[in-house]
Amino acid sequence: MALIVHIIFFKTKMFWKVTTARTLQSLVKNTSSFIVFGSFAVGGFFFARFVTAYLLHDVHIGLFLFHRFISMMLFVFFLAINLGNMVVSFSTMFRSPEVNFLLTSPVSHLNIFIIKFLDNFFYSSGTLFLAGLSVLLGYGSYFGLPWYFYLFAMFGVLVPFMFLAGCVAVIVLLVLLKLAEKVSFKGLLALLVVFYSIQIVLYFTVTSPVHLVQEVMKYYPNVNVYFGYLDPPLTKVLPNYWAAQILLFFVAGKFTVVAGYWVMLLLTSIAAFIFMIAVGDALYYSGWLTSLTLRFFSSRSGSAKSPVFSFEKRSRFEPQAEVLLKKEFWQFVREPSQWIHFAIMLVLVIVFLSSISTLDLKLESPPLRAAIFLVLLTFNAFLMTSIALRFAFPMMSLEGTAFWTLRSAPVHVRSVYWIKFFILLLPLIVLSLCTAVVSGIPYRMFPMLMRLSISVMVLAMVCLASLNFGLGTYFSNYTEKNPIRIASSQGATLTFLLSLIYLVFIISILFVPLELFFRAVYLSERFHSGTLLAATAALVAVTVAASFAAHVMGVRSLRRDF
Amino acid sequence: MVFKNEEEMIVLKNLTKKFGSFTAVDDLSLEIPDGEFFGFLGPNGAGKTTTIKMMTGLFAPTSGSVTVNGFDIQKQPLEAKSTFGYIPDQPFLYDKLTGREFLYYIGGLFKMPKETIRREIDKLVDHFEIGDWVDKRSEDYSQGMRQRITIAAAFVHSPRTIIIDEPMVGLDPRSARIVKDSLKQKSKEGAAIFMSTHNMEIVEELCDRIGIIKDGKLIFLDTKENLHHHKSKFDGKLESVFLELTK
């Protein structure tokens, strides 16, 4: 234990020194980070408060239904933390040079395992804590909850909930590596993707949100009653359900029920941690050895077999563009952490799209129609934001220490920048177009909305890709080889928050024209297309300005000393 | 490739690099003509790598200029860079590419025709005894193999000037011999070679002229012949001259 504290003390000291270095650059960076993080927290607070007030006061969906929506969001949140931790843990626990070093020192592998788990969990969860706190503040302030609610909800509910997701992720990872000694690792990963996809589909089939809304709305306006009998038994054993119940019963003032769910959540988290330590003790070192073998085999698969992307084959491209294109391609497909993560994200997009394409919206309320259209659009954009952050942000940094080859070669770094950007933009645009078309299916009777959805998604994708690539270049770290760590760095977090601000801007600028449009359709009021045109023009202007600024920062930063 | 008809292949004029208040290279001026093998010596932190990084365009000088084969590295970077080959102090490669792919990649950046690249790669693989390793990914390479690929990459476009930072790091004696012979041959063919190193034996064996830098300033500059005169003042070793000058 003393050894763990000793190592964590020095790691914290090092982190503190890096983040509080007394230089002008550090001061500017920290001040701007503080402003963006602060704005984000304030924005999160007002957004959560607005959504809570809107759904409970304006749309009047009732406390029960509202907390069931929270439960569903927490389910997705749990899986996101779970998958994120699994991917990050693979890199930090098995591929980190620090682990190689610690294994040569008199530190037991169990201590290394615990240190890396804690390091990983707190490093990658900082922004989520901030987001959680601001949302809880917004939620709590609507209900006028006392100060101790926030402390309790943050440290008593949110932290154990996230901790549980992290522990489960590491247990699954260790078991996977154990199985990988005997079964093909690629096969296991495919199984994992199928397993998680089934979980999502099963959860939403069992909970059936549309059915739930219809059942509760039968009792409108008496919707504040507790409809516990509508909860499928399967969902009651899930931590997201417990967390949502804690919030619901805290608001209702039934603290004995709160205590019951809280104890359940806390004990499960502690049990998961103890179980994870036991599994780590048994499997971590052998898993580390397996990961070496995996690396050995993955790197033995030789040179380019595909005739299309072979370096030896001539192409119609200009030589410099050609070799850059091929290099990017091979670096991506030969790095398992890149394509595996991409495949997982792609599966999530497909699951999401297949769910919403069959959505049957029977709501007549224009504001609710507008809200759902925007929610779908925003969720699409949010998925694209996550993909852009994960793949566009680290793209320049992944040149790594070999970047000297480009900087000392007769090639404009500006050209390199744009070639890399377009290599990235093309697949992202295709992906965003697919999501826009599929998510427009529930609104297929309105061609204008389909056109709007496509235009907004393309614009958003250009902006998100530009922000992530431009700022990823500006904050480039050529010494970090792990793309996941690059995508969770301070610069990446800042970029993510800017992307979220951009998404909030999209929602706020489109809400009024869309509500007017649905009023015109359902209530036969007049609709002036000028409002929608003005909103789109503002969106184009912001997109162009933000993209331009990000690219200027990116290109200029490439002239820095290497 | 078209070169400007200049006798001095590398010209450093009042070159200065400051990092905040710290001056890493201080008003350095040097001229290296056609066919000269120049040895650049100095203790750790003297400014050798900083100088080389400014010569190759990796650092922008605070003031002064670098001209390579008649092209200013800041004003005509593409023209200048197309004329030299650079071997860095650390042989960083793209881990996921094989040696052969890396060499094709470098050839493409220098806009060489595929057929010429293929011919050069075959020649270099043979010359540097890279063998089957050329088709394995560089993440599997030893330090020495990485160094061989890096040197081959610097030679692939037949540069007229070679800039090297610590060329023998990680090389076994046989590989070191091959590299030394290759550099000597290039120099005989008329290429200017600028080499930074800590290895006194290599300097004595290969270099025509030697410069010693300390605290960013050039404190010694003379030919190998005149160096013998300096050496005789001590115990006949270049190492002693170096230690005395950099004391």
Side-chain angles (χ1 to χ4, degrees):
Chain A
M1 188 64 191
L3 201 61
I4 295 178
V5 173
H6 171 79
I7 294 172
I8 289 176
F9 171 75
F10 276 95
K11 282 173 82 77
T12 313
K13 197 174 166 182
M14 195 172 69
F15 175 77
W16 182 253
K17 279 195 173 180
V18 170
T19 48
T20 59
R22 285 178 199 166
T23 60
L24 183 65
Q25 194 189 9
S26 171
L27 185 74
V28 171
K29 201 172 152 184
N30 287 337
T31 310
S32 52
S33 295
F34 180 77
I35 291 168
V36 175
F37 278 87
S39 315
F40 174 73
V42 172
F45 168 79
F46 282 112
F47 188 68
R49 195 186 152 90
F50 167 76
V51 170
T52 309
Y54 180 74
L55 290 174
L56 291 176
H57 188 261
D58 296 357
V59 187
H60 198 58
I61 63 167
L63 277 177
F64 176 79
L65 204 53
F66 179 67
H67 284 87
R68 285 301 161 271
F69 288 154
I70 290 180
S71 175
M72 287 171 202
M73 281 193 290
L74 285 172
F75 177 78
V76 178
F77 188 54
F78 188 90
L79 286 188
I81 301 168
N82 193 250
L83 279 170
N85 263 274
M86 205 182 299
V87 179
V88 177
S89 299
F90 182 65
S91 299
T92 52
M93 286 183 170
F94 299 100
R95 298 259 167 124
S96 145
E98 189 193 1
V99 170
N100 294 356
F101 164 71
L102 287 174
L103 280 170
T104 62
S105 63
V107 182
S108 74
H109 64 264
L110 182 62
N111 281 344
I112 298 172
F113 172 74
I114 295 170
I115 290 160
K116 291 309 285 184
F117 170 75
L118 294 174
D119 177 13
N120 188 29
F121 179 73
F122 288 107
Y123 183 85
S124 56
S125 308
T127 316
L128 293 174
F129 286 138
L130 180 76
L133 181 66
S134 59
V135 168
L136 279 174
L137 282 169
Y139 167 91
S141 78
Y142 172 78
F143 293 108
L145 296 174
W147 62 270
Y148 54 83
F149 162 78
Y150 304 104
L151 283 179
F152 168 68
M154 188 69 198
F155 298 104
V157 183
L158 195 66
V159 172
F161 179 77
M162 290 171 68
F163 198 70
L164 178 60
C167 290
V168 173
V170 173
I171 294 167
V172 174
L173 179 66
L174 289 169
V175 173
L176 269 182
L177 281 166
K178 183 69 190 166
L179 292 172
E181 288 172 12
K182 297 189 173 77
V183 191
S184 138
F185 191 62
K186 283 180 185 171
L188 281 174
L189 285 170
L191 196 70
L192 190 74
V193 170
V194 172
F195 175 66
Y196 273 88
S197 308
I198 288 173
Q199 275 189 58
I200 296 169
V201 173
L202 192 69
Y203 179 79
F204 283 104
T205 310
V206 169
T207 51
S208 181
V210 175
H211 173 73
L212 188 71
V213 172
Q214 284 166 349
E215 285 299 308
V216 172
M217 284 301 167
K218 278 180 188 169
Y219 298 90
Y220 191 85
N222 301 316
V223 286
N224 268 335
V225 185
Y226 182 65
F227 297 93
Y229 66 90
L230 290 173
D231 291 327
L234 188 71
T235 59
K236 292 182 182 176
V237 295
L238 298 175
N240 56 300
Y241 177 82
W242 304 336
Q245 289 291 81
I246 291 170
L247 296 178
L248 172 62
F249 286 105
F250 199 105
V251 169
K254 294 181 177 173
F255 298 112
T256 45
V257 187
V258 170
Y261 283 111
W262 179 62
V263 169
M264 211 138 58
L265 179 66
L266 208 62
L267 287 180
T268 311
S269 301
I270 293 168
F273 183 62
I274 293 168
F275 184 60
M276 184 196 72
I277 289 177
V279 175
D281 193 23
L283 302 180
Y284 177 58
Y285 187 64
S286 63
W288 185 78
L289 292 173
T290 308
S291 76
L292 292 181
T293 326
L294 287 173
R295 176 160 47 190
F296 183 74
F297 282 117
S298 72
S299 63
R300 286 278 146 179
S301 45
S303 56
K305 290 188 186 82
S306 163
V308 181
F309 288 99
S310 164
F311 276 87
E312 292 164 51
K313 193 177 163 66
R314 286 192 190 88
S315 81
R316 289 181 185 181
F317 287 101
E318 188 266 338
Q320 291 178 335
E322 181 209 318
V323 290
L324 281 168
L325 193 72
K326 287 177 177 172
K327 177 182 74 71
E328 292 298 328
F329 175 78
W330 289 116
Q331 277 191 302
F332 184 83
V333 298
R334 286 175 182 168
E335 176 52 62
S337 69
Q338 288 282 76
W339 61 261
I340 290 171
H341 213 173
F342 186 69
I344 291 172
M345 285 183 145
L346 213 56
V347 167
L348 285 177
V349 172
I350 292 166
V351 169
F352 168 69
L353 291 180
S354 62
S355 316
I356 56 169
S357 63
T358 54
L359 205 61
D360 186 15
L361 298 168
K362 288 176 180 158
L363 303 164
E364 295 293 306
S365 157
L368 204 56
R369 273 268 183 183
I372 292 176
F373 178 82
L374 278 172
V375 165
L376 289 179
L377 196 71
T378 314
F379 204 87
N380 276 341
F382 184 75
L383 276 176
M384 295 303 125
T385 305
S386 311
I387 293 175
L389 178 74
R390 173 60 187 78
F391 296 99
F393 189 88
M395 205 172 174
M396 193 58 85
S397 296
L398 287 179
E399 278 294 321
T401 41
F403 194 39
W404 67 267
T405 53
L406 281 169
R407 291 292 301 269
S408 63
V411 54
H412 278 298
V413 280
R414 201 173 53 239
S415 313
V416 174
Y417 179 91
W418 288 113
I419 288 169
K420 281 170 100 73
F421 179 68
F422 285 110
I423 289 172
L424 167 91
L425 188 64
L426 201 68
L428 288 181
I429 290 278
V430 171
L431 205 60
S432 65
L433 276 176
C434 293
T435 59
V437 170
V438 179
S439 62
I441 290 174
Y443 289 90
R444 57 190 170 278
M445 62 291 274
F446 309 115
M448 191 279 283
L449 289 185
M450 182 65 96
R451 284 197 296 274
L452 180 73
S453 176
I454 291 172
S455 320
V456 171
M457 277 307 291
V458 170
L459 275 175
M461 201 64 257
V462 170
C463 186
L464 293 170
S466 305
L467 277 176
N468 280 281
F469 185 67
L471 296 182
T473 305
Y474 182 80
F475 290 111
S476 54
N477 176 1
Y478 298 107
T479 52
E480 177 61 67
K481 281 186 173 183
N482 184 345
I484 298 152
R485 279 192 91 93
I486 299 167
S488 52
S489 61
Q490 201 185 11
T493 310
L494 205 69
T495 309
F496 184 62
L497 297 183
L498 286 173
S499 304
L500 292 186
I501 291 168
Y502 175 73
L503 295 190
V504 171
F505 171 74
I506 294 180
I507 300 171
S508 45
I509 201 139
L510 287 177
F511 184 77
V512 173
L514 279 170
E515 190 189 350
L516 291 175
F517 172 79
F518 285 114
R519 279 185 176 280
V521 172
Y522 292 104
L523 306 176
S524 305
E525 292 178 7
R526 275 192 72 182
F527 175 64
H528 297 284
S529 56
T531 50
L532 197 59
L533 282 174
T536 315
L539 186 61
V540 171
V542 169
T543 300
V544 170
S547 305
F548 180 75
H551 288 310
V552 167
M553 284 175 77
V555 171
R556 282 194 183 166
S557 69
L558 282 178
R559 292 181 200 138
R560 286 193 293 232
D561 290 345
F562 178 70
Chain B
M1 190 159 298
V2 180
F3 296 105
K4 281 195 178 178
N5 190 17
E6 296 280 337
E7 199 180 314
E8 306 298 344
M9 286 188 153
I10 302 173
V11 180
L12 313 184
K13 205 178 279 179
N14 307 112
L15 197 62
T16 301
K17 179 70 183 176
K18 290 184 180 179
F19 297 103
S21 58
F22 172 69
T23 306
V25 177
D26 194 0
D27 201 29
L28 179 66
S29 293
L30 262 178
E31 288 180 358
I32 293 139
D34 224 353
E36 181 172 278
F37 203 130
F38 183 80
F40 197 45
L41 294 167
N44 293 329
K48 299 189 297 297
T49 297
T50 305
T51 305
I52 284 191
K53 285 193 168 186
M54 285 191 280
M55 290 168 70
T56 52
L58 296 174
F59 278 1
T62 307
S63 62
S65 66
V66 177
T67 309
V68 184
N69 295 308
F71 300 107
D72 188 308
I73 191 76
Q74 289 300 310
K75 291 175 187 158
Q76 300 154 286
L78 300 195
E79 290 84 351
K81 288 173 183 179
S82 63
T83 64
F84 66 76
Y86 167 52
I87 303 165
D89 54 343
Q90 292 288 329
F92 293 120
L93 305 172
Y94 292 105
D95 283 352
K96 301 294 168 193
L97 298 188
T98 66
R100 188 184 299 280
E101 287 168 348
F102 183 74
L103 294 172
Y104 266 103
Y105 171 69
I106 296 293
L109 293 180
F110 282 83
K111 298 185 179 176
M112 291 168 69
K114 293 274 182 202
E115 189 50 38
T116 315
I117 304 176
R118 193 189 60 75
R119 216 173 36 239
E120 286 298 319
I121 290 176
D122 288 345
K123 211 164 73 185
L124 290 164
V125 167
D126 193 40
H127 182 74
F128 289 109
E129 299 179 358
I130 295 167
D132 292 342
W133 284 100
V134 76
D135 288 316
K136 290 189 170 72
R137 292 188 203 166
S138 59
E139 62 191 341
D140 286 341
Y141 288 176
S142 63
Q143 167 88 3
M145 190 52 66
R146 284 170 175 268
Q147 188 72 345
R148 288 192 219 184
I149 293 287
T150 310
I151 295 169
F155 280 37
V156 80
H157 63 284
S158 307
R160 202 163 166 216
T161 298
I162 297 170
I163 300 167
I164 324 163
D165 200 355
E166 291 294 348
M168 305 302 166
V169 178
L171 291 180
D172 59 50
R174 185 172 169 78
S175 309
R177 182 76 267 156
I178 297 169
V179 171
K180 280 191 266 186
D181 290 346
S182 311
L183 292 173
K184 246 194 261 182
Q185 184 58 33
K186 277 276 171 193
S187 178
K188 272 185 196 159
E189 287 167 9
I193 299 180
F194 186 99
M195 180 179 71
S196 154
T197 183
H198 284 119
N199 193 321
M200 303 291 164
E201 284 174 27
I202 292 174
V203 171
E204 287 197 275
E205 184 184 340
L206 299 176
C207 298
D208 304 313
R209 205 153 60 105
I210 293 154
I212 298 177
I213 185 172
K214 190 192 170 202
D215 297 332
K217 285 181 185 295
L218 195 66
I219 55 167
F220 177 87
L221 181 66
D222 218 330
T223 60
K224 193 155 80 177
E225 288 72 35
N226 290 340
L227 187 68
H228 289 300
H229 170 68
H230 291 284
K231 283 196 306 190
S232 62
K233 290 182 191 167
F234 298 93
D235 56 3
K237 289 181 183 169
L238 174 61
E239 187 186 16
S240 305
V241 179
F242 177 81
L243 290 174
E244 183 58 31
L245 286 169
T246 57
K247 205 158 53 177

